[in-house]
Amino acid sequence: MLCTTPCHSARFSAFRLSALGTALTLTAALGASLPVMAEPQMHSTFINDALLPPAEPWQGASLNLMRAADDSYATPFEQSGGIESPDYEATMAWLDKLIKRSKYLSKVSLGKSPQGRDIWMIVASKEGADSPKSLAANSRPTVLVQAGIHSGEIDGKDAGMMLLRDIEKGGKHELLERANLLFVPIFSVDAHERASEYNRVNQRGPVKMGWRTTANNLNLNRDYAKADAKEMQLMLAAINAWNPSLYIDVHVTDGIDYQYDITFGYNQKQGLSPALFSWLDGSFRPEVESALTSAGHIPGQLVFAMDNTDITKGMSQWNASPRYSNGYGDARHLPTILIENHSLKPFKQRVLGTYVMLEQSLKTVGDNATALKAAIMADSFRYPTEITLTWKEEQQASWDFKGIGYTVEQSPVSGANVVRWNGQPVTYEKLPVFGNTIPDIKVSRPEAYYILPQWQEVIAKLENHGVRFERMSETATVKVGEYRFSNVEFAAKDYEGRQRVKADATLSQTELELPAGTVKVSTEQALGDLAILLLEPQSPDSLLQWGLFNPIFTRTEYMEDYAVEPMAAALLEKDPELKKAFDEALKDPAFAADPETRLRWFYEKSPYYDSEYLRYPVFRSN
């Protein structure tokens, strides 16, 4: 499941909705037409079927992709009739069997998980490449497909296993004439093994599903910017080493019911990669949607309801920040697709739709390799003079939305109003759409940033992301902009293992002597925009807001009142300007009535005050 804000787990749960009015049927309210089709059915395949809304019967052409259960190369998914997904050991055993007999496939470990499991990546190329160097030698674009970042949402693993089998044994090796494939079958490997039929109650299969967060209880799709999880550090290293041309992150959503079974999206054109948006929207989406439709699926844009109890309020588009895969891809100019299969569609249907999408992605990337490479280069070296750090919402072009009818009624259990989806297809015409596409906080692009050498964790994060920097070999005096903070506000509780912090930032110009070992980060590099989002303090996914600089908000030295008093008296006598400022401050009744505040006022203006307190140790060179 993808949640963009802390409230999304509630917004996207059909069983935790609160209604705005009394029971109503939106079919009647909108005058929408219902096509004639088979009655929705209650399933009895999965343990949670009785708790879920009815599902529409489905017989797509992509069913022909499945092999018989007794086929020697049937995947565990196919052997189960499309209802089960294998565990880690069985997954890798099946893949090892395929790779052993392959001239196209090799297997590499990205590294060990916190519990000691290898995170495997399958490399598929015409030449059977097994290293970044040998893969790059063929000069074809590379598609990186990642399954199981949330390991209960595992559709991509089973789809990718089928596709690899068909490349090797099913006559589809021609796909590798145009593009290479990197396939990570299970990203969150430890969570994958925390499997149960009682995980993800809102999802229609597989029989057993993995856990959402890692063994350290971190959500990997909140970790791209801060990169705390070992799994994420390994993935970022792989992206840097293997240099994919397209990154596909496969999820399964939950929440409102609708007709679409395969939805996917990417950041908007107002983001940091406008050329990539044009390619994704103009070349990639039409071809993939056409392939899915021909195979009997209903593709759609990544969809979030503004209000799950009232579809007429419209849909929300999403310009993700760099903590998420698609926002991170936008920041580093790596075209990134976020697939969100619909959790209320049966597992078999979702897996087969994912197969079709992955196959067509290889075709589209191969056929449009030159245009894709040009778009990546255009965005990577665009160097905009201003960078938007935060966005405001505005209304977009309206959508015709392929939804499902529902009523809202009072629950005898909770006493609240809840949604009851009825399984009947409904078209909601010209729904309003909203998206965070108005620039809010913007900053000018500095020539470079300077990071003091003691902030080793921050420097290591930049290195893990692949941001280039140099270390000053000797002390140097430079003119820089420095931030000072006020109105510091810490989050009330930890989030993703970090205590987040916000503060008002004031930028001033100064001349500093920077010590040897200071790190200089130029913004004129392919990852310059990413560096800005990580280092600008007002960026929501800056390393500052993620808490990596929290020690600067701690005061460690003080001055006793008995020492401040004589110092203050001497300063007032010697400095007329200071006395004038003090007299002005006394006009504030609260200040005048607070002895501690008055004494601190003098302390802060004295040479004894801690000059490093509330001072950001990252400086801008303009």
Side-chain angles (χ1 to χ4, degrees), residues 2-6 8 11-12 222 304 318 323-324:
L2 176 72
C3 298
T4 62
T5 69
H8 267 220
R11 287 176 58 192
F12 281 77
R222 305 294 181 275
F304 302 112
W318 187 37
R323 74 185 64 173
Y324 306 99

Side-chain angles (χ1 to χ4, degrees), residues 128-266:
D130 60 0
S131 69
K133 183 178 180 180
S134 59
L135 190 73
N138 69 41
S139 300
R140 299 186 197 95
T142 297
V143 177
L144 170 56
V145 176
Q146 164 187 290
I149 187 172
H150 297 154
S151 64
E153 306 165 28
I154 203 60
D155 303 6
K157 178 187 73 177
D158 297 281
M161 291 168 73
M162 290 176 62
L163 181 58
L164 288 175
R165 183 266 322 282
D166 291 344
I167 288 173
E168 180 62 37
K169 301 292 182 181
K172 293 189 177 182
H173 56 272
E174 76 280 355
L175 292 170
L176 301 181
E177 296 285 344
R178 296 178 277 184
N180 308 308
L181 173 62
L182 303 175
F183 175 56
V184 179
I186 311 169
F187 182 12
S188 188
V189 289
D190 297 339
H192 185 274
E193 295 310 280
R194 187 181 168 183
S196 169
E197 57 188 337
Y198 294 102
N199 292 349
R200 290 189 60 78
V201 65
N202 50 288
Q203 183 173 301
R204 194 165 260 125
V207 171
K208 288 187 176 182
M209 293 171 262
W211 197 249
R212 179 175 176 79
T213 52
T214 69
N216 298 105
N217 205 33
L218 293 177
N219 186 334
L220 290 177
N221 204 29
R222 305 294 181 275
D223 197 45
Y224 278 87
K226 63 184 177 70
D228 281 339
K230 180 65 178 297
E231 296 93 333
M232 183 57 68
Q233 294 164 12
L234 295 172
M235 181 58 70
L236 297 182
I239 290 172
N240 292 328
W242 294 85
N243 192 29
S245 304
L246 182 70
Y247 185 26
I248 298 179
D249 181 21
V250 187
H251 291 248
V252 181
T253 191
D254 55 22
I256 65 170
D257 202 357
Y258 44 73
Q259 297 172 52
Y260 309 106
D261 54 355
I262 311 295
T263 69
F264 62 96
Y266 30 82

Side-chain angles (χ1 to χ4, degrees), residues 291-314:
L292 283 165
T293 301
S294 297
H297 297 273
I298 304 179
Q301 296 198 46
L302 191 62
V303 289
F304 302 112
M306 297 296 292
D307 181 344
N308 285 353
T309 68
D310 186 355
I311 299 301
T312 62
K313 289 186 177 179

